[in-house]
Amino acid sequence: MPAAFAAVLPATLHARLKEEQLRVLNESTRDRRLATLAAALGLDEPAALRELQAATGLPLLHELKPDPEGIPVLPARLARDFLIVPVLTATADKSVLTLATTWPADDIITDWLATFTSRPLHWALAPADRINQLIVECYGVGAGSLE
């Protein structure tokens, strides 16, 4: 398994999966990883998201409000490809860009984001359906350009 992927999947979850499940998870697209993890663990997606939250220590958000200052910073294509969206949180520092995602960030994502912002990043987990809904609301249905 590639090191970048292994570094993102917490050891407590890694240990619960068989080699074939790890391979399938590694080969799944980012937007399907949570569903793939859920299937491998025999859970539904909300339960798998809670397991991922417990294993990573990232906050789990259910109520998502788009960050009007963060939306223009993140190109629609990155939001769609990486399934991330800038959100407001009650405790967030305005100088920090808080991003909701269904899967912990890896080096590829953080490298791409560094191209568009120098703001420090804060990550939070959130349900995929809500992230997809916000992407459509904030960027439009296509959400496919780097502009």
Side-chain angles (χ1 to χ4, degrees), residues 40-65:
L41 295 173
L43 303 169
D44 61 15
E45 283 189 40
L49 189 59
R50 288 189 300 273
E51 291 280 334
L52 189 58
Q53 186 277 326
T56 61
L58 293 173
L60 179 56
L61 305 176
H62 293 286
E63 297 295 323
L64 301 180
K65 292 184 181 184

Side-chain angles (χ1 to χ4, degrees), residues 6-91:
V8 174
L9 184 65
T12 55
L13 293 177
H14 188 279
R16 293 170 56 186
L17 302 179
K18 296 178 181 162
E19 194 60 37
E20 176 63 15
Q21 293 170 315
L22 290 168
R23 185 191 61 73
V24 171
L25 186 60
N26 187 41
E27 292 173 357
S28 67
T29 57
R30 186 171 177 79
D31 65 325
R32 297 293 309 148
R33 275 211 186 121
L34 185 62
T36 304
L37 177 65
L41 295 173
L43 303 169
D44 61 15
E45 283 189 40
L49 189 59
R50 288 189 300 273
E51 291 280 334
L52 189 58
Q53 186 277 326
T56 61
L58 293 173
L60 179 56
L61 305 176
H62 293 286
E63 297 295 323
L64 301 180
K65 292 184 181 184
D67 177 354
E69 293 178 17
I71 296 297
V73 170
L74 182 67
R77 182 171 175 188
L78 291 185
R80 176 66 67 203
D81 288 354
F82 295 135
L83 204 60
I84 55 177
V85 66
V87 295
L88 295 172
T89 61
T91 59

